[in-house]
Amino acid sequence: MQLEIKLFASLQKYMPNVEKVELDGNCTVLDLLKKIGISSSEVAITLVNGRHVKLEQRLNEGETVAMFPPIAGG
Amino acid sequence: MQCSHPSQEDNLVKITDNEEYLSQLLQQKLEITGEVEKAIELLVTEQGIPKRIAESLACGLHIFPKRYDLNAGTFGGMGQKNLLRSKVMVAGLGGLGGHVVEQLVRCGLGIVVGVDADLFDETNLNRQLYCDLQTIGLRKTVATQRRVAAINDAVEFHPLALPVEDLEDGAYDGVDLIFDCLDTIPSRLYLQEVGERLSIPLIHGAIGGWYGQVAIVWPGSKLLSNVYGTRKEGIEKVLGSPPFTPAFIATIMVSEGIKLLLGKKERENTVLFVDLMNNQWQYISL
């Protein structure tokens, strides 16, 4: 299946632009992270089609996945 | 600078009961002196009320002390009055907290409780507003208190030089809003729990490198738990904290907080994510 990926802030080093990624069917967000080479500890918020999901969320053809890193400095 | 104590709390009850009478007294003094600042000083001396309360009475009559002249068009008389009657806590007096306190004091926020156990050191010089070559080694609460007193002598600043985890519930008495300017995820989650238990909303702000985020954490929303999950630290550990990002995020935090205090903000569960590298601004609904 094909997914559209948008990475934000420090995660853009893995993929600076919005890109389409091919993934086998029956995959989760965790599988997507593995494919791109991102550790799960680098991601705080994941949105699928604008909806907040957990890393175990199953993905479907054509969905848009956005990811944001944890920010905690004061 | 004035300090709060029980007699002032008692005074506030009397002031609320006698607001019309005190306002009339203020107007009489204004007719005699011809200057709102002098009329306020007279009222404070004669009635033994906090200066911020006397100022709030004036603003309620749409008579503004000069220091609020350029707030007046934005907040209005009743808005400025409400701010002078408000009490907030700023948890963390570092990069975010210094800028937050500075703006709150210039807004005329009546009581600011400032919480930080740390002393300024040289690594704070790049971004922390109250850190300079003279304040290195000084408690952040002390430097902040001095700065508040130098800007607005009607604002009451209550310093608490403790980690937020060591505060007793009494520290939150009368607090309308908490500004989360802390710098670790566990402390932020702890503060979220306190806000939930005591029904106080948080204005959350966090930064790392070119990036930052702001959110209103309503009691019971568990918004920060949703944001951070099991993460223990953020991108600031690698990207650091440059001068401009905390100043920018603190500005949004204060405007969000002021809107809440003025009743201009609806309940929501969103995080505003800011990317200053690409000048992008993204709302995330959780």
Side-chain angles (χ1 to χ4, degrees):
Chain A
M1 63 181 165
Q2 194 175 61
L3 303 163
E4 188 172 87
I5 313 300
K6 296 179 184 175
L7 301 182
F8 288 83
S10 56
L11 299 177
Q12 288 183 338
K13 69 185 175 195
Y14 296 102
M15 197 182 278
N17 302 308
V18 177
E19 285 185 27
K20 297 206 184 295
V21 169
E22 283 290 339
L23 212 60
D24 294 337
N26 209 22
C27 282
T28 65
V29 176
L30 280 169
D31 297 318
L32 174 64
L33 288 178
K34 198 171 174 185
K35 166 107 180 175
I36 305 173
I38 304 176
S39 154
S40 60
S41 66
E42 294 179 83
V43 178
I45 300 170
T46 303
L47 305 178
V48 174
N49 291 345
R51 192 168 52 85
H52 185 224
V53 299
K54 294 184 173 172
L55 295 179
E56 296 76 21
Q57 173 74 28
R58 203 153 291 285
L59 297 166
N60 298 303
E61 167 67 29
E63 286 180 326
T64 299
V65 182
M67 293 183 197
F68 299 82
I71 301 180
Chain B
M1 168 119 21
Q2 299 167 25
C3 295
S4 180
H5 49 73
S7 66
Q8 278 196 356
E9 303 296 327
D10 296 343
N11 248 344
L12 289 184
V13 175
K14 288 179 200 159
I15 290 159
T16 310
D17 290 347
N18 295 313
E19 185 152 338
E20 201 174 329
Y21 169 68
L22 287 168
S23 295
Q24 284 171 359
L25 279 183
L26 182 66
Q27 279 178 309
Q28 287 169 11
K29 294 181 191 319
L30 186 58
E31 283 168 21
I32 297 165
T33 62
E35 253 187 63
V36 63
E37 283 79 8
K38 285 182 182 167
I40 285 168
E41 289 296 345
L42 280 177
L43 192 69
V44 167
T45 307
E46 285 181 15
Q47 299 296 317
I49 60 175
K51 191 168 186 176
R52 68 184 181 87
I53 297 297
E55 285 190 346
S56 76
L57 293 169
C59 293
L61 297 167
H62 298 275
I63 303 163
F64 294 91
K66 289 187 189 70
R67 60 174 152 217
Y68 305 126
D69 260 3
L70 296 183
N71 287 354
T74 307
F75 302 149
M78 290 311 291
Q80 186 66 68
K81 176 181 175 178
N82 287 341
L83 294 180
L84 283 159
R85 300 278 179 104
S86 296
K87 179 177 181 178
V88 302
M89 175 182 285
V90 180
L93 298 173
L96 288 169
H99 286 285
V100 166
V101 168
E102 179 88 7
Q103 293 186 28
L104 290 174
V105 170
R106 292 182 189 276
C107 282
L109 202 298
I111 303 176
V112 178
V113 181
V115 183
D116 202 309
D118 289 346
L119 284 62
F120 282 123
D121 66 43
E122 284 178 313
T123 67
N124 303 147
L125 279 169
N126 80 318
R127 71 197 184 286
Q128 301 197 9
L129 191 58
Y130 302 149
C131 181
D132 58 37
L133 296 176
Q134 276 70 50
T135 59
I136 300 283
L138 198 62
R139 279 202 182 282
K140 294 183 179 182
T141 46
V142 173
T144 306
Q145 186 166 27
R146 287 180 189 170
R147 179 67 178 166
V148 171
I151 297 170
N152 187 335
D153 66 348
V155 171
E156 298 170 27
F157 182 77
H158 301 176
L160 293 172
L162 292 167
V164 74
E165 291 84 355
D166 290 354
L167 295 183
E168 294 181 0
D169 281 0
Y172 300 90
D173 280 353
V175 168
D176 300 302
L177 198 58
I178 302 170
F179 287 85
D180 165 20
C181 303
L182 298 168
D183 59 2
T184 69
I185 292 173
S187 295
R188 292 175 183 282
L189 293 175
Y190 176 83
L191 198 60
Q192 175 183 249
E193 277 179 36
V194 173
E196 180 160 339
R197 184 162 49 79
L198 302 178
S199 295
I200 306 172
L202 265 59
I203 305 291
H204 160 81
I207 64 117
W210 300 90
Y211 314 104
Q213 63 190 28
V214 179
I216 301 172
V217 183
W218 292 101
S221 70
K222 304 243 182 250
L223 189 76
L224 295 185
S225 305
N226 288 331
V227 168
Y228 291 123
T230 57
R231 313 294 176 278
K232 295 293 177 214
E233 55 186 35
I235 56 174
E236 69 284 352
K237 296 296 177 194
V238 174
L239 301 182
S241 306
F244 41 82
T245 314
F248 189 95
I249 294 298
T251 296
I252 303 172
M253 292 175 75
V254 172
S255 72
E256 291 291 273
I258 295 292
K259 281 183 279 188
L260 263 193
L261 292 169
L262 297 181
K264 294 179 185 294
K265 188 84 184 175
E266 299 294 321
R267 181 177 289 264
E268 57 183 22
N269 275 321
T270 61
V271 177
L272 174 61
F273 190 90
V274 176
D275 173 349
L276 293 177
M277 171 59 86
N278 299 298
N279 291 336
Q280 288 179 344
W281 179 278
Q282 182 99 13
Y283 284 98
I284 307 168
S285 292
L286 296 178

